[in-house]
């Protein structure tokens, strides 16, 4: 039984604001880039060479803008998920510590389950 799980919930909580900020910055970069590219209009013209340029340019441009925006959303969602996970681990640790305190306090039902009865038992700390 050497397997062990250790989570630095305080460390996770400290890291997530920067993670969220990075996600926000990526979203801002996507919006700014899209605005600047839109402001340029269609400078390739309507001739054959311009049409060939557009054919090569349009799809990668859309993919890049979508990718940057999606990265911002993923980073933000990840920050929220990790924050929720860290809070869950902290609550679990708190609950486990409370259970240990109750067991070691030597109360009348020390060792009993949450219902006041030992699992499968009579409620008197014995089966």
């Amino acid at each position: 039984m050497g397997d062990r799980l250790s989570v630095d919930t305080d460390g996770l909580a400290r890291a997530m604001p920067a993670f969220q900020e990075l996600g926000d910055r990526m979203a801002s970069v996507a919006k700014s880039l899209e605005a600047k590219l839109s402001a340029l209009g269609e400078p390739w013209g309507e001739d054959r060479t311009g049409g060939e340029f557009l054919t090569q340019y349009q799809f990668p441009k859309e993919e890049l803008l979508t990718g940057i925006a999606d990265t911002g959303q993923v980073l933000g969602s990840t920050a929220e998920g990790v924050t929720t996970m860290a809070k869950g681990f902290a609550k679990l640790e708190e609950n486990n510590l409370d259970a240990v305190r109750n067991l070691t306090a030597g109360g009348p039902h020390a060792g009993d389950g949450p219902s006041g009865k030992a699992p499968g038992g009579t409620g008197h700390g014995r089966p």
Side-chain angles (χ1 to χ4, degrees):
M1 194 161 154
D3 293 342
R4 186 180 131 141
L5 174 65
S6 178
V7 178
D8 181 359
T9 55
D10 292 334
L12 287 172
R14 284 190 304 272
M16 287 308 98
F19 213 77
Q20 181 65 52
E21 181 183 331
L22 181 58
D24 293 344
R25 285 177 43 203
M26 290 297 290
S28 177
V29 165
K31 288 178 185 175
S32 176
L33 180 58
E34 188 166 14
K36 289 178 182 180
L37 290 174
S38 292
L40 293 174
E42 298 179 356
W44 44 82
E46 295 182 22
D47 62 358
R48 184 174 149 249
T49 303
E52 289 174 5
F53 173 82
L54 179 59
T55 300
Q56 297 297 313
Y57 166 80
Q58 189 67 32
F59 181 73
K61 178 195 100 169
E62 295 301 324
E63 289 290 304
L64 177 68
L65 292 173
T66 299
I68 294 171
D70 288 352
T71 299
Q73 290 175 352
V74 167
L75 288 169
S77 294
T78 300
E80 289 175 19
V82 170
T83 298
T84 299
M85 180 186 69
K87 288 177 182 177
F89 276 121
K91 183 66 175 166
L92 178 64
E93 182 176 24
E94 181 183 314
N95 291 343
N96 288 341
L97 288 172
D98 286 345
V100 169
R101 284 185 197 109
N102 289 336
L103 286 173
T104 58
H109 299 289
D112 290 349
S115 67
K117 296 181 181 178
T122 62
H124 300 291
R126 47 182 196 268

